[in-house]
Structures are given as C-alpha cells and as structure tokens.
Amino acid sequence: MPGQQDIQIDQVERLLQAAGADWDRRAHRFAVLAEAAAPSALARSWRMRRSRSADPLVFEAWVELCRGRHTGRMEDAGAAVDRCRRAADALGGDPTPWVVMLGILRLMRADSRELFPVWYEVTARDPWNREAHLQMLRYLSPEECGSRSSQLDFVETVRSSAPSTAPVVGVELTALVDEDVRIVARGGVEALLARRQWAGSRATRALDTALHWSRPGHLRHAAALADLNLLAFALVRAGRVRETADTFRVLGDTVTAWPWTLDGDPLDQFGHWQSRALI
C-alpha cells in the first residue's frame, strides 16, 4: 500500500511522544513496538527520515536487540550501542537508551564491569524500571553471567526496597518461575519434584504478597496485565487454582505468551485454567 510506512512511522512517533516523561509507559511502548517492527525495515526507515532525532536511534537499537534475542546474536552490537549513546546524550534524563544498552550488553554476555555502570545510569533516572530489572535478573542467573546466590541477593534487594505498586513487583515471581524451569531442565528425580518449590516458605510468601495485585486499580504500571498473567500462572503451578479467580476476572481475555507458553499453547493454557478457576 503506497505510503503505508509513512503512516506507520507517524503512528509510532505519536505513541512514543504521548508517553512524555512517564518512563515506565515509554519503555513499555518501545518494547512492544520494537518487537512488532523487528521483521520489517520500519526502524531503519524512520532513522533515515529523522536523522537528527533521538527516538529513531533508540528504536532501531531496540529492534536490533529483539532480532538478536531471536537469533542469539546481533549483527552489529557495537553500532547499536553507539546509537544508544548518541540518543542518551540527546535525551538527558530519559533512561530508555540506557535500558536498551543494558539489554544489548546482557545479550553479549558482557563483563559486569562494563554492564553495571549502565545499570547505574538507568536506576539513577528511573529507580524501578521494570525492563532493566528483568534484564539484570536474567543476567545474574547461573545460565548467564551470575549464580543462583547472586540472583537471590538481587531479588531480595528488590523485594525489601521496592514500593508495593512499583513496576518491578513481578521480579520475585519471575525468579521463581525461572527456577522452576531450571529444575525441570535438569531432568531426573529432581525434575519430578520441581513443584515442591512452590510449597516452600519463599514461594508461599511471594504468592501471598502478590494476591492483592488483583484489587482493581492496585497495579497501574504499563505492564500490569503481564504481571497478573504471571501471578495466575504461578498460582496454578503452586496448586492454588481456586485463588486465581480474582486475577482471571481482572485479566478477562488478555493473555501474554510468557509464561503460559512454558506449558504449551498460551491461549489453550490460559483458557483451561481460567475456566477451572471461574467454575
């Protein structure tokens, strides 16, 4: 369709500009739009048409990061980092370029001496940035550049210091789901007993604390429905299906691929457990 890309670029610009200095909503929009644009040339076209604007630089770097996550490597990570640094110089207090840079360094398995200064730049601008905290959680995992103890220390720091309605409230449950996946991947008898972790004191406390997320209007961050999907999934894994009813009512028909995809087709899994919970 002639002019379709121009229309798409205008729409992306408006959505990002409308978020203003709401860094949480701005990062969420960047993440969703970049994932959607990854198969196309939209990001490059936008940068070529707005060569003096910072947002297209960040957007193209985030699109390249999305592609890198899918393939396991980035074609030119150095160029993407350079775009982030140029955007960061232009945008000042905006944490978004630093968030993308953090993701790129994580994908590159960069040394902590290179990654942590970027982490500090993000949190100096937005202390409870959801995307950055999830990036750090996975970076500190034993599968990547950390260990189980370093990951647990990070989770405990977030749990003990973050406000109860901060965008990072899902970090602890994310870590528990990741731990479940880690145990199952080992196979053997240990995998058969993986569900026992959900009966432990750490998981029980995290789930009990998270139950109030379902109160209408309690969570207001941009990815609140993603965290409610996470809560429903974790409660199912813990065998607490009856307690998911309020969460499923709030969610309605909003399904996120992760973490439901861990057990099969997300729509099938969500629909099955929602119907069980709301009987």
Side-chain angles (χ1 to χ4, degrees):
M1 176 180 172
Q4 182 175 5
Q5 195 166 75
D6 289 333
I7 295 171
Q8 291 173 335
I9 288 172
D10 288 343
Q11 289 174 328
V12 169
E13 279 187 320
R14 283 199 299 271
L15 278 169
L16 296 177
Q17 290 171 3
D22 183 340
W23 305 135
D24 170 66
R25 197 157 302 279
R26 181 168 158 83
H28 180 67
R29 291 182 178 186
F30 261 106
V32 173
L33 292 168
E35 188 68 43
S40 73
L42 178 68
R44 183 177 182 276
S45 297
W46 186 19
R47 176 176 59 82
M48 297 292 287
R49 296 180 194 188
R50 305 284 194 273
S51 58
R52 297 184 180 181
S53 178
D55 277 359
L57 292 173
V58 180
F59 190 69
E60 187 172 21
W62 207 319
V63 165
E64 290 169 356
L65 174 59
C66 291
R67 292 171 181 159
R69 286 172 179 166
H70 290 306
T71 62
R73 59 179 294 277
M74 294 182 65
E75 290 187 7
D76 193 344
V81 169
D82 179 65
R83 290 190 186 101
C84 290
R85 292 196 181 279
R86 286 158 56 197
D89 289 342
L91 294 172
D94 187 344
T96 314
W98 298 100
V99 172
V100 185
M101 205 183 311
L102 187 72
I104 294 170
L105 293 175
R106 176 200 160 200
L107 187 64
M108 295 169 61
R109 301 291 195 268
D111 187 272
S112 60
R113 289 172 295 184
E114 186 178 3
L115 184 134
F116 272 94
V118 176
W119 163 252
Y120 296 137
E121 293 287 353
V122 175
T123 53
R125 292 164 171 80
D126 185 12
W128 307 118
N129 186 282
R130 182 179 185 272
E131 176 71 20
H133 277 74
L134 293 177
Q135 292 288 353
M136 282 299 294
L137 177 70
R138 270 56 184 269
Y139 177 81
L140 294 170
S141 71
E143 291 80 21
E144 295 191 16
C145 298
S147 63
R148 186 171 185 272
S149 62
S150 61
Q151 193 179 55
L152 288 174
D153 287 345
F154 178 74
V155 170
E156 179 57 28
T157 298
V158 175
R159 188 191 69 80
S160 61
S161 56
S164 62
T165 58
V168 298
V169 291
V171 165
E172 187 170 20
L173 285 188
T174 300
L176 285 165
V177 171
D178 286 352
E179 179 73 9
D180 190 303
V181 172
R182 186 178 301 132
I183 294 170
V184 171
R186 293 176 191 149
V189 175
E190 193 173 6
L192 296 175
L193 302 177
R195 299 298 171 88
R196 286 192 176 183
Q197 79 144 342
W198 294 104
S201 59
R202 176 170 154 248
T204 300
R205 181 200 64 211
L207 287 170
D208 288 346
T209 300
L211 283 173
H212 66 267
W213 295 357
S214 301
R215 294 205 304 263
H218 181 75
L219 294 184
R220 297 181 179 275
H221 61 281
L225 293 179
D227 285 334
L228 287 171
N229 269 265
L230 172 64
L231 172 59
F233 178 86
L235 286 168
V236 167
R237 279 290 178 99
R240 298 169 60 170
V241 179
R242 290 179 179 271
E243 295 175 80
T244 64
D246 288 343
T247 303
F248 276 121
R249 288 191 187 98
V250 173
L251 286 170
D253 58 0
T254 303
V255 186
T256 54
W258 191 90
W260 298 105
T261 191
L262 296 173
D263 283 344
D265 180 81
L267 293 176
D268 290 344
Q269 290 296 315
F270 182 95
H272 170 76
W273 292 111
Q274 186 180 53
S275 62
R276 288 276 303 274
L278 301 179
I279 291 176

